[in-house]
Amino acid sequence: MPRKPSRKTIVKKLDTIFSKYVRLKDADFKGNCICVTCGRSYYWKEIQAGHFISRKHYSTRWDERNVKPQCYSCNVMRYGEQYKYSKYLGTELSEDLLSLSYKIVKFSNPELIEMTLTYNKLVQELEMSYI
């Protein structure tokens, strides 16, 4: 009998497919994304899914409004460029996400698996548009 996947494995799979979804959905017809903080263009596989509010907050971790394409330089080397990111999002959304981040959210493993399946389907649909 196969073992059930650990919570860590489930979260990692969801993070991976969600990141792919964010980058693909914001890509143009050639597969290029614009970094929301510096404005440079990168192929969707060469850019990251940057979080405005840190991934440690599960209430916003997989909120599409909180995650946008960001280059490695802005996301990692410049710690997310949060001020520029907030200007991109606008005051109202930035404050809404900040407020939401204070909420304690505990997703069940089946909920996380369902989210993974949903994003897998969305990614497949987006990938078909690049073929």
mmCIF file with all atom_site columns, all heavy atoms in Angstrom, residues 23 26-34 41-44 46-47 130:
data_model
loop_
_atom_site.group_PDB
_atom_site.id
_atom_site.type_symbol
_atom_site.label_atom_id
_atom_site.label_alt_id
_atom_site.label_comp_id
_atom_site.label_asym_id
_atom_site.label_entity_id
_atom_site.label_seq_id
_atom_site.pdbx_PDB_ins_code
_atom_site.Cartn_x
_atom_site.Cartn_y
_atom_site.Cartn_z
_atom_site.occupancy
_atom_site.B_iso_or_equiv
_atom_site.pdbx_formal_charge
_atom_site.auth_seq_id
_atom_site.auth_comp_id
_atom_site.auth_asym_id
_atom_site.auth_atom_id
_atom_site.pdbx_PDB_model_num
ATOM 1   N N   . ARG A 1 23  ? 3.314  32.594 -13.530 1.00 0.00 ? 23  ARG A N   1
ATOM 2   C CA  . ARG A 1 23  ? 4.206  33.061 -14.586 1.00 0.00 ? 23  ARG A CA  1
ATOM 3   C C   . ARG A 1 23  ? 3.581  32.875 -15.967 1.00 0.00 ? 23  ARG A C   1
ATOM 4   O O   . ARG A 1 23  ? 3.688  33.757 -16.821 1.00 0.00 ? 23  ARG A O   1
ATOM 5   C CB  . ARG A 1 23  ? 5.552  32.349 -14.475 1.00 0.00 ? 23  ARG A CB  1
ATOM 6   C CG  . ARG A 1 23  ? 6.291  32.773 -13.201 1.00 0.00 ? 23  ARG A CG  1
ATOM 7   C CD  . ARG A 1 23  ? 7.569  32.007 -12.941 1.00 0.00 ? 23  ARG A CD  1
ATOM 8   N NE  . ARG A 1 23  ? 7.276  30.631 -12.577 1.00 0.00 ? 23  ARG A NE  1
ATOM 9   C CZ  . ARG A 1 23  ? 7.898  29.571 -13.092 1.00 0.00 ? 23  ARG A CZ  1
ATOM 10  N NH1 . ARG A 1 23  ? 8.853  29.719 -13.989 1.00 0.00 ? 23  ARG A NH1 1
ATOM 11  N NH2 . ARG A 1 23  ? 7.581  28.366 -12.687 1.00 0.00 ? 23  ARG A NH2 1
ATOM 12  N N   . ASP A 1 26  ? 0.575  35.406 -16.760 1.00 0.00 ? 26  ASP A N   1
ATOM 13  C CA  . ASP A 1 26  ? 0.980  36.792 -17.011 1.00 0.00 ? 26  ASP A CA  1
ATOM 14  C C   . ASP A 1 26  ? 1.927  36.932 -18.197 1.00 0.00 ? 26  ASP A C   1
ATOM 15  O O   . ASP A 1 26  ? 2.403  38.028 -18.483 1.00 0.00 ? 26  ASP A O   1
ATOM 16  C CB  . ASP A 1 26  ? 1.614  37.396 -15.757 1.00 0.00 ? 26  ASP A CB  1
ATOM 17  C CG  . ASP A 1 26  ? 0.574  37.713 -14.688 1.00 0.00 ? 26  ASP A CG  1
ATOM 18  O OD1 . ASP A 1 26  ? -0.631 37.722 -15.020 1.00 0.00 ? 26  ASP A OD1 1
ATOM 19  O OD2 . ASP A 1 26  ? 0.946  37.954 -13.534 1.00 0.00 ? 26  ASP A OD2 1
ATOM 20  N N   . ALA A 1 27  ? 2.201  35.817 -18.881 1.00 0.00 ? 27  ALA A N   1
ATOM 21  C CA  . ALA A 1 27  ? 3.095  35.862 -20.039 1.00 0.00 ? 27  ALA A CA  1
ATOM 22  C C   . ALA A 1 27  ? 2.343  36.336 -21.274 1.00 0.00 ? 27  ALA A C   1
ATOM 23  O O   . ALA A 1 27  ? 1.141  36.100 -21.417 1.00 0.00 ? 27  ALA A O   1
ATOM 24  C CB  . ALA A 1 27  ? 3.686  34.475 -20.290 1.00 0.00 ? 27  ALA A CB  1
ATOM 25  N N   . ASP A 1 28  ? 3.066  37.003 -22.186 1.00 0.00 ? 28  ASP A N   1
ATOM 26  C CA  . ASP A 1 28  ? 2.463  37.411 -23.448 1.00 0.00 ? 28  ASP A CA  1
ATOM 27  C C   . ASP A 1 28  ? 2.432  36.225 -24.420 1.00 0.00 ? 28  ASP A C   1
ATOM 28  O O   . ASP A 1 28  ? 2.806  35.112 -24.062 1.00 0.00 ? 28  ASP A O   1
ATOM 29  C CB  . ASP A 1 28  ? 3.196  38.625 -24.039 1.00 0.00 ? 28  ASP A CB  1
ATOM 30  C CG  . ASP A 1 28  ? 4.633  38.331 -24.451 1.00 0.00 ? 28  ASP A CG  1
ATOM 31  O OD1 . ASP A 1 28  ? 5.020  37.151 -24.595 1.00 0.00 ? 28  ASP A OD1 1
ATOM 32  O OD2 . ASP A 1 28  ? 5.386  39.306 -24.653 1.00 0.00 ? 28  ASP A OD2 1
ATOM 33  N N   . PHE A 1 29  ? 2.025  36.468 -25.652 1.00 0.00 ? 29  PHE A N   1
ATOM 34  C CA  . PHE A 1 29  ? 1.859  35.382 -26.619 1.00 0.00 ? 29  PHE A CA  1
ATOM 35  C C   . PHE A 1 29  ? 3.183  34.695 -26.976 1.00 0.00 ? 29  PHE A C   1
ATOM 36  O O   . PHE A 1 29  ? 3.185  33.588 -27.482 1.00 0.00 ? 29  PHE A O   1
ATOM 37  C CB  . PHE A 1 29  ? 1.154  35.893 -27.883 1.00 0.00 ? 29  PHE A CB  1
ATOM 38  C CG  . PHE A 1 29  ? 2.002  36.820 -28.722 1.00 0.00 ? 29  PHE A CG  1
ATOM 39  C CD1 . PHE A 1 29  ? 2.685  36.336 -29.830 1.00 0.00 ? 29  PHE A CD1 1
ATOM 40  C CD2 . PHE A 1 29  ? 2.107  38.171 -28.405 1.00 0.00 ? 29  PHE A CD2 1
ATOM 41  C CE1 . PHE A 1 29  ? 3.464  37.179 -30.603 1.00 0.00 ? 29  PHE A CE1 1
ATOM 42  C CE2 . PHE A 1 29  ? 2.887  39.024 -29.173 1.00 0.00 ? 29  PHE A CE2 1
ATOM 43  C CZ  . PHE A 1 29  ? 3.571  38.529 -30.272 1.00 0.00 ? 29  PHE A CZ  1
ATOM 44  N N   . LYS A 1 30  ? 4.311  35.344 -26.681 1.00 0.00 ? 30  LYS A N   1
ATOM 45  C CA  . LYS A 1 30  ? 5.622  34.734 -26.925 1.00 0.00 ? 30  LYS A CA  1
ATOM 46  C C   . LYS A 1 30  ? 6.167  34.031 -25.680 1.00 0.00 ? 30  LYS A C   1
ATOM 47  O O   . LYS A 1 30  ? 7.243  33.457 -25.716 1.00 0.00 ? 30  LYS A O   1
ATOM 48  C CB  . LYS A 1 30  ? 6.632  35.795 -27.368 1.00 0.00 ? 30  LYS A CB  1
ATOM 49  C CG  . LYS A 1 30  ? 6.357  36.376 -28.729 1.00 0.00 ? 30  LYS A CG  1
ATOM 50  C CD  . LYS A 1 30  ? 7.428  37.385 -29.088 1.00 0.00 ? 30  LYS A CD  1
ATOM 51  C CE  . LYS A 1 30  ? 7.186  37.981 -30.458 1.00 0.00 ? 30  LYS A CE  1
ATOM 52  N NZ  . LYS A 1 30  ? 8.198  39.003 -30.780 1.00 0.00 ? 30  LYS A NZ  1
ATOM 53  N N   . GLY A 1 31  ? 5.425  34.134 -24.572 1.00 0.00 ? 31  GLY A N   1
ATOM 54  C CA  . GLY A 1 31  ? 5.858  33.506 -23.325 1.00 0.00 ? 31  GLY A CA  1
ATOM 55  C C   . GLY A 1 31  ? 6.709  34.405 -22.447 1.00 0.00 ? 31  GLY A C   1
ATOM 56  O O   . GLY A 1 31  ? 7.360  33.925 -21.517 1.00 0.00 ? 31  GLY A O   1
ATOM 57  N N   . ASN A 1 32  ? 6.706  35.704 -22.712 1.00 0.00 ? 32  ASN A N   1
ATOM 58  C CA  . ASN A 1 32  ? 7.514  36.643 -21.928 1.00 0.00 ? 32  ASN A CA  1
ATOM 59  C C   . ASN A 1 32  ? 6.685  37.316 -20.841 1.00 0.00 ? 32  ASN A C   1
ATOM 60  O O   . ASN A 1 32  ? 5.524  37.658 -21.059 1.00 0.00 ? 32  ASN A O   1
ATOM 61  C CB  . ASN A 1 32  ? 8.137  37.705 -22.829 1.00 0.00 ? 32  ASN A CB  1
ATOM 62  C CG  . ASN A 1 32  ? 9.129  37.100 -23.797 1.00 0.00 ? 32  ASN A CG  1
ATOM 63  O OD1 . ASN A 1 32  ? 9.947  36.276 -23.415 1.00 0.00 ? 32  ASN A OD1 1
ATOM 64  N ND2 . ASN A 1 32  ? 9.052  37.491 -25.051 1.00 0.00 ? 32  ASN A ND2 1
ATOM 65  N N   . CYS A 1 33  ? 7.313  37.517 -19.696 1.00 0.00 ? 33  CYS A N   1
ATOM 66  C CA  . CYS A 1 33  ? 6.687  38.198 -18.557 1.00 0.00 ? 33  CYS A CA  1
ATOM 67  C C   . CYS A 1 33  ? 7.480  39.455 -18.237 1.00 0.00 ? 33  CYS A C   1
ATOM 68  O O   . CYS A 1 33  ? 8.681  39.514 -18.458 1.00 0.00 ? 33  CYS A O   1
ATOM 69  C CB  . CYS A 1 33  ? 6.739  37.314 -17.310 1.00 0.00 ? 33  CYS A CB  1
ATOM 70  S SG  . CYS A 1 33  ? 5.755  35.832 -17.363 1.00 0.00 ? 33  CYS A SG  1
ATOM 71  N N   . ILE A 1 34  ? 6.800  40.410 -17.654 1.00 0.00 ? 34  ILE A N   1
ATOM 72  C CA  . ILE A 1 34  ? 7.429  41.642 -17.195 1.00 0.00 ? 34  ILE A CA  1
ATOM 73  C C   . ILE A 1 34  ? 7.560  41.579 -15.678 1.00 0.00 ? 34  ILE A C   1
ATOM 74  O O   . ILE A 1 34  ? 6.583  41.289 -14.981 1.00 0.00 ? 34  ILE A O   1
ATOM 75  C CB  . ILE A 1 34  ? 6.572  42.880 -17.580 1.00 0.00 ? 34  ILE A CB  1
ATOM 76  C CG1 . ILE A 1 34  ? 6.315  42.934 -19.088 1.00 0.00 ? 34  ILE A CG1 1
ATOM 77  C CG2 . ILE A 1 34  ? 7.214  44.163 -17.061 1.00 0.00 ? 34  ILE A CG2 1
ATOM 78  C CD1 . ILE A 1 34  ? 7.543  43.163 -19.928 1.00 0.00 ? 34  ILE A CD1 1
ATOM 79  N N   . SER A 1 41  ? 11.800 42.444 -19.150 1.00 0.00 ? 41  SER A N   1
ATOM 80  C CA  . SER A 1 41  ? 11.090 41.305 -19.724 1.00 0.00 ? 41  SER A CA  1
ATOM 81  C C   . SER A 1 41  ? 11.959 40.045 -19.649 1.00 0.00 ? 41  SER A C   1
ATOM 82  O O   . SER A 1 41  ? 13.160 40.100 -19.923 1.00 0.00 ? 41  SER A O   1
ATOM 83  C CB  . SER A 1 41  ? 10.738 41.611 -21.183 1.00 0.00 ? 41  SER A CB  1
ATOM 84  O OG  . SER A 1 41  ? 10.067 40.516 -21.762 1.00 0.00 ? 41  SER A OG  1
ATOM 85  N N   . TYR A 1 42  ? 11.335 38.934 -19.280 1.00 0.00 ? 42  TYR A N   1
ATOM 86  C CA  . TYR A 1 42  ? 12.002 37.636 -19.189 1.00 0.00 ? 42  TYR A CA  1
ATOM 87  C C   . TYR A 1 42  ? 11.066 36.562 -19.717 1.00 0.00 ? 42  TYR A C   1
ATOM 88  O O   . TYR A 1 42  ? 9.841  36.663 -19.560 1.00 0.00 ? 42  TYR A O   1
ATOM 89  C CB  . TYR A 1 42  ? 12.328 37.279 -17.728 1.00 0.00 ? 42  TYR A CB  1
ATOM 90  C CG  . TYR A 1 42  ? 13.304 38.203 -17.068 1.00 0.00 ? 42  TYR A CG  1
ATOM 91  C CD1 . TYR A 1 42  ? 12.876 39.377 -16.453 1.00 0.00 ? 42  TYR A CD1 1
ATOM 92  C CD2 . TYR A 1 42  ? 14.662 37.905 -17.043 1.00 0.00 ? 42  TYR A CD2 1
ATOM 93  C CE1 . TYR A 1 42  ? 13.768 40.233 -15.832 1.00 0.00 ? 42  TYR A CE1 1
ATOM 94  C CE2 . TYR A 1 42  ? 15.565 38.755 -16.422 1.00 0.00 ? 42  TYR A CE2 1
ATOM 95  C CZ  . TYR A 1 42  ? 15.111 39.914 -15.823 1.00 0.00 ? 42  TYR A CZ  1
ATOM 96  O OH  . TYR A 1 42  ? 16.002 40.757 -15.216 1.00 0.00 ? 42  TYR A OH  1
ATOM 97  N N   . TYR A 1 43  ? 11.646 35.506 -20.285 1.00 0.00 ? 43  TYR A N   1
ATOM 98  C CA  . TYR A 1 43  ? 10.840 34.346 -20.668 1.00 0.00 ? 43  TYR A CA  1
ATOM 99  C C   . TYR A 1 43  ? 10.271 33.744 -19.383 1.00 0.00 ? 43  TYR A C   1
ATOM 100 O O   . TYR A 1 43  ? 10.940 33.751 -18.338 1.00 0.00 ? 43  TYR A O   1
ATOM 101 C CB  . TYR A 1 43  ? 11.711 33.330 -21.425 1.00 0.00 ? 43  TYR A CB  1
ATOM 102 C CG  . TYR A 1 43  ? 10.912 32.194 -22.025 1.00 0.00 ? 43  TYR A CG  1
ATOM 103 C CD1 . TYR A 1 43  ? 9.956  32.441 -22.994 1.00 0.00 ? 43  TYR A CD1 1
ATOM 104 C CD2 . TYR A 1 43  ? 11.110 30.903 -21.596 1.00 0.00 ? 43  TYR A CD2 1
ATOM 105 C CE1 . TYR A 1 43  ? 9.203  31.417 -23.536 1.00 0.00 ? 43  TYR A CE1 1
ATOM 106 C CE2 . TYR A 1 43  ? 10.368 29.851 -22.138 1.00 0.00 ? 43  TYR A CE2 1
ATOM 107 C CZ  . TYR A 1 43  ? 9.421  30.113 -23.107 1.00 0.00 ? 43  TYR A CZ  1
ATOM 108 O OH  . TYR A 1 43  ? 8.679  29.101 -23.640 1.00 0.00 ? 43  TYR A OH  1
ATOM 109 N N   . TRP A 1 44  ? 9.056  33.226 -19.437 1.00 0.00 ? 44  TRP A N   1
ATOM 110 C CA  . TRP A 1 44  ? 8.358  32.794 -18.220 1.00 0.00 ? 44  TRP A CA  1
ATOM 111 C C   . TRP A 1 44  ? 9.135  31.775 -17.397 1.00 0.00 ? 44  TRP A C   1
ATOM 112 O O   . TRP A 1 44  ? 8.986  31.722 -16.175 1.00 0.00 ? 44  TRP A O   1
ATOM 113 C CB  . TRP A 1 44  ? 6.945  32.287 -18.538 1.00 0.00 ? 44  TRP A CB  1
ATOM 114 C CG  . TRP A 1 44  ? 6.879  30.928 -19.161 1.00 0.00 ? 44  TRP A CG  1
ATOM 115 C CD1 . TRP A 1 44  ? 6.865  30.629 -20.496 1.00 0.00 ? 44  TRP A CD1 1
ATOM 116 C CD2 . TRP A 1 44  ? 6.809  29.676 -18.484 1.00 0.00 ? 44  TRP A CD2 1
ATOM 117 N NE1 . TRP A 1 44  ? 6.803  29.277 -20.683 1.00 0.00 ? 44  TRP A NE1 1
ATOM 118 C CE2 . TRP A 1 44  ? 6.767  28.655 -19.467 1.00 0.00 ? 44  TRP A CE2 1
ATOM 119 C CE3 . TRP A 1 44  ? 6.777  29.304 -17.132 1.00 0.00 ? 44  TRP A CE3 1
ATOM 120 C CZ2 . TRP A 1 44  ? 6.704  27.303 -19.143 1.00 0.00 ? 44  TRP A CZ2 1
ATOM 121 C CZ3 . TRP A 1 44  ? 6.714  27.960 -16.814 1.00 0.00 ? 44  TRP A CZ3 1
ATOM 122 C CH2 . TRP A 1 44  ? 6.676  26.973 -17.808 1.00 0.00 ? 44  TRP A CH2 1
ATOM 123 N N   . GLU A 1 46  ? 12.297 31.876 -16.935 1.00 0.00 ? 46  GLU A N   1
ATOM 124 C CA  . GLU A 1 46  ? 13.468 32.562 -16.383 1.00 0.00 ? 46  GLU A CA  1
ATOM 125 C C   . GLU A 1 46  ? 13.096 33.612 -15.336 1.00 0.00 ? 46  GLU A C   1
ATOM 126 O O   . GLU A 1 46  ? 13.959 34.359 -14.884 1.00 0.00 ? 46  GLU A O   1
ATOM 127 C CB  . GLU A 1 46  ? 14.254 33.233 -17.517 1.00 0.00 ? 46  GLU A CB  1
ATOM 128 C CG  . GLU A 1 46  ? 14.796 32.244 -18.521 1.00 0.00 ? 46  GLU A CG  1
ATOM 129 C CD  . GLU A 1 46  ? 15.287 32.907 -19.798 1.00 0.00 ? 46  GLU A CD  1
ATOM 130 O OE1 . GLU A 1 46  ? 15.058 34.127 -19.986 1.00 0.00 ? 46  GLU A OE1 1
ATOM 131 O OE2 . GLU A 1 46  ? 15.897 32.189 -20.604 1.00 0.00 ? 46  GLU A OE2 1
ATOM 132 N N   . ILE A 1 47  ? 11.824 33.673 -14.976 1.00 0.00 ? 47  ILE A N   1
ATOM 133 C CA  . ILE A 1 47  ? 11.368 34.656 -13.990 1.00 0.00 ? 47  ILE A CA  1
ATOM 134 C C   . ILE A 1 47  ? 10.749 33.890 -12.827 1.00 0.00 ? 47  ILE A C   1
ATOM 135 O O   . ILE A 1 47  ? 10.421 32.713 -12.954 1.00 0.00 ? 47  ILE A O   1
ATOM 136 C CB  . ILE A 1 47  ? 10.386 35.666 -14.643 1.00 0.00 ? 47  ILE A CB  1
ATOM 137 C CG1 . ILE A 1 47  ? 10.281 36.943 -13.831 1.00 0.00 ? 47  ILE A CG1 1
ATOM 138 C CG2 . ILE A 1 47  ? 9.030  35.035 -14.906 1.00 0.00 ? 47  ILE A CG2 1
ATOM 139 C CD1 . ILE A 1 47  ? 9.686  38.118 -14.604 1.00 0.00 ? 47  ILE A CD1 1
ATOM 140 N N   . TYR A 1 130 ? 0.413  27.979 -25.978 1.00 0.00 ? 130 TYR A N   1
ATOM 141 C CA  . TYR A 1 130 ? 1.770  28.255 -26.484 1.00 0.00 ? 130 TYR A CA  1
ATOM 142 C C   . TYR A 1 130 ? 2.222  27.242 -27.515 1.00 0.00 ? 130 TYR A C   1
ATOM 143 O O   . TYR A 1 130 ? 3.311  27.354 -28.041 1.00 0.00 ? 130 TYR A O   1
ATOM 144 C CB  . TYR A 1 130 ? 2.790  28.295 -25.331 1.00 0.00 ? 130 TYR A CB  1
ATOM 145 C CG  . TYR A 1 130 ? 2.567  29.487 -24.425 1.00 0.00 ? 130 TYR A CG  1
ATOM 146 C CD1 . TYR A 1 130 ? 2.066  29.328 -23.139 1.00 0.00 ? 130 TYR A CD1 1
ATOM 147 C CD2 . TYR A 1 130 ? 2.831  30.766 -24.865 1.00 0.00 ? 130 TYR A CD2 1
ATOM 148 C CE1 . TYR A 1 130 ? 1.858  30.404 -22.325 1.00 0.00 ? 130 TYR A CE1 1
ATOM 149 C CE2 . TYR A 1 130 ? 2.619  31.863 -24.052 1.00 0.00 ? 130 TYR A CE2 1
ATOM 150 C CZ  . TYR A 1 130 ? 2.124  31.678 -22.781 1.00 0.00 ? 130 TYR A CZ  1
ATOM 151 O OH  . TYR A 1 130 ? 1.904  32.755 -21.978 1.00 0.00 ? 130 TYR A OH  1
#
